[in-house]
Amino acid sequence: MATASLQKHTTRHVLRLRISHAGTSKFLSLGIKVNPSHWSTRKKRVTQGHAQARAINARLAEIEATAEQTIQSLELRRARLTASWLKEEIRNALEGEGESGYESFVAFAEDFVQGYKRRGQRGTWKSYKGVLSKFRSFLEHEGIEVLPFRRLTPSLIRQFHTWCIESRGNKATTAAKALRVLRTMTRAAMKEGYLEDYPFEHISISSTERSSRDHLTPAEIEEMRGVALPPESVIAEVRRWFLFSYFAGGMRFSDLATLRPEHITDGRIEYQMDKTQDRAGVPLTPGAKEILGFYDGAFAGGWLLPILRGVDPENQQAIHRRKQSQNAKGNQYLKKIARRAGLDKDVSFHLARNAAAWRLYQETRDIYLVSKWLNHASVEQTQRYLEKFSDDSADDQFLDAFS
C-alpha cells in the first residue's frame, strides 16, 4: 500500500513529503524551511511559536490531502504503481494548485546571480550572468520555455555541455567552466530546498584540452622576467604587474588593480578579495619588494600600482571598466613578452596564479597549505591548478626501484 507522510530533512531543515510504496521511498521537497525548534515530529506540524504557524500548517494539511487523493485515485485505476511515479503525480497535482517560490530553475538562478551584483562582486556577476545567458540559449534551442527544478537532470546537463562545444564552438575549458558555474547555482538551489536530488552527483567536470600552452612553470616566469624591455615602456609596466601578482602568491588581477598603500602593513599584503569578499594576506616577498621599489613611493593617485591611475576610488563602475580594459590590453602585452622569451604560450595574468601555486607546492609538498594561501574554496580547486604541471619530484626514487 502506498503512503505519503510529512517530515523534516535532518540536516537542511526543509520540509518534504516521504512517498513510499513496495519497500521503496522517494522524497518530494516542499520548499519550506523550518527551524528544528519549531517542528513537532509527532504532530508533523509547525509549532505555535513560529510566526507563520497557522498559514504553514494550513498549507501542509492541503498537501497531505492532495497526496492522499492522488494515491487513492491511482490505486482505484489499478495502475502498476512505483514510488517514483507517485512522486511525479503528486508533484503535478500540487503544482496544479499553484507552487510558491520560484517558478523555474532559471528564475532562481537569475536572482542568485543578481546577488553578486548587489554585494559589489561585479566580476563574478558578469561571469555568471554570461553563463546563465548561454544556458537560456541552450534551453531555447531545445524548445524548453520553462525549466521546473525537477527537469534539471544529469541528462540535460550533459546535453548542455555537448551543445556548448558542438553548437557554440566553446573549447573544453570554457564548457567545463560553464558547468562549474551551473553546479554552483544548483548547489544554492539545493540549499534553499528547491532541489531534492543532486543532478551533478555522477557528472565529472574536467577539461580534455589541458596542454603545455595553458600554464607557466616558474622557470618560464624567469625567462619572461629576463626579456630586455625599456623600463618606462607600457610593456615593461605590464610585466611588473604580472610579476607582482606572481610574487604575491598568485594574486588575481582584480585584486592587484585595487591595492592601495595602506594594504601593506608590517611586511605583509593584507586585502579583501574581490571575487569572494574574503580577507587574504601574504608576506611581502623580495620579488614583490623589488617591483614596489621601482615606484619609489610615488603612488598613482592613491593606488599602489598605476593600473587605475586617475580613477576615483569611490566610482565602482569606473573601476570595473578600467580593470576590464587593462586586463585585456595587459594580456596582449604578456603574449608579446612570451614570444620574445621564445615561449609558445597563451599567456594571461591568470597564469601567474597557476605558476605561483606550483612553486609553492614544489617548496612545501603540502596541497592544503597551498590551498589556504590561494584562498581556494576546496582542495579540489587547488588540485585542478596543479594537475597541469608535470611532477618529476619522485623520478629518482622510481629509477632506484628498477635499478
Side-chain angles (χ1 to χ4, degrees), residues 162-216:
T162 301
W163 178 84
C164 286
I165 295 173
E166 295 183 355
S167 298
R168 290 291 288 261
N170 291 159
K171 294 181 179 180
T173 49
T174 304
K177 179 181 179 182
L179 286 196
R180 291 190 185 100
V181 171
L182 190 64
R183 183 176 61 186
T184 299
M185 298 174 185
T186 301
R187 286 173 173 169
M190 286 197 71
K191 187 176 180 181
E192 293 296 323
Y194 290 102
L195 274 170
E196 187 70 24
D197 299 318
Y198 182 49
F200 279 89
E201 184 175 0
H202 300 295
I203 294 179
S204 176
I205 302 177
S206 62
S207 166
T208 59
E209 293 188 350
R210 299 194 188 282
S211 70
S212 60
R213 288 177 55 81
D214 62 2
H215 72 275
L216 284 174

Side-chain angles (χ1 to χ4, degrees), residues 214-234:
D214 62 2
H215 72 275
L216 284 174
T217 66
E220 289 168 335
I221 292 277
E222 289 301 317
E223 291 179 33
M224 291 181 63
R225 190 182 184 188
V227 172
L229 299 171
E232 301 295 336
S233 63
V234 175

Side-chain angles (χ1 to χ4, degrees), residues 95-253:
E95 289 181 349
E97 295 175 6
E99 188 181 55
S100 61
Y102 297 97
E103 66 174 7
S104 70
F105 172 77
V106 173
F108 170 85
E110 287 174 342
D111 194 37
F112 174 77
V113 171
Q114 282 297 114
Y116 287 105
K117 185 179 182 180
R118 290 192 293 269
R119 294 190 294 273
Q121 297 171 256
R122 297 187 65 87
T124 303
W125 165 69
K126 186 171 183 179
S127 175
Y128 279 35
K129 182 182 177 183
V131 170
L132 184 55
S133 176
K134 185 186 298 184
F135 187 61
R136 280 198 298 263
S137 296
F138 160 72
L139 295 176
E140 183 178 343
H141 177 268
E142 295 295 314
I144 302 174
E145 295 183 3
V146 178
L147 180 67
F149 288 94
R150 69 178 184 277
R151 289 194 63 186
L152 185 65
T153 61
S155 176
L156 187 72
I157 292 168
R158 292 190 182 96
Q159 290 175 34
F160 173 56
H161 181 255
T162 301
W163 178 84
C164 286
I165 295 173
E166 295 183 355
S167 298
R168 290 291 288 261
N170 291 159
K171 294 181 179 180
T173 49
T174 304
K177 179 181 179 182
L179 286 196
R180 291 190 185 100
V181 171
L182 190 64
R183 183 176 61 186
T184 299
M185 298 174 185
T186 301
R187 286 173 173 169
M190 286 197 71
K191 187 176 180 181
E192 293 296 323
Y194 290 102
L195 274 170
E196 187 70 24
D197 299 318
Y198 182 49
F200 279 89
E201 184 175 0
H202 300 295
I203 294 179
S204 176
I205 302 177
S206 62
S207 166
T208 59
E209 293 188 350
R210 299 194 188 282
S211 70
S212 60
R213 288 177 55 81
D214 62 2
H215 72 275
L216 284 174
T217 66
E220 289 168 335
I221 292 277
E222 289 301 317
E223 291 179 33
M224 291 181 63
R225 190 182 184 188
V227 172
L229 299 171
E232 301 295 336
S233 63
V234 175
I235 193 170
E237 184 65 66
V238 169
R239 182 174 63 180
R240 283 191 287 272
W241 303 344
F242 179 75
L243 292 174
F244 191 91
S245 168
Y246 172 67
F247 288 123
M251 183 182 294
R252 295 185 181 92
F253 183 82

Side-chain angles (χ1 to χ4, degrees), residues 292-336:
L292 291 181
F294 174 84
Y295 303 104
D296 194 26
F299 303 118
W303 304 107
L304 188 66
L305 299 172
I307 300 172
L308 299 180
R309 178 188 284 129
V311 177
D312 181 359
E314 300 301 320
N315 191 335
Q316 293 302 314
Q317 288 189 342
I319 289 173
H320 180 67
R321 287 194 298 268
R322 176 68 67 83
K323 283 196 293 188
Q324 282 191 309
S325 64
Q326 293 285 55
N327 192 359
K329 292 176 184 176
N331 285 337
Q332 295 303 314
Y333 281 117
L334 291 176
K335 290 174 175 59
K336 292 181 180 179

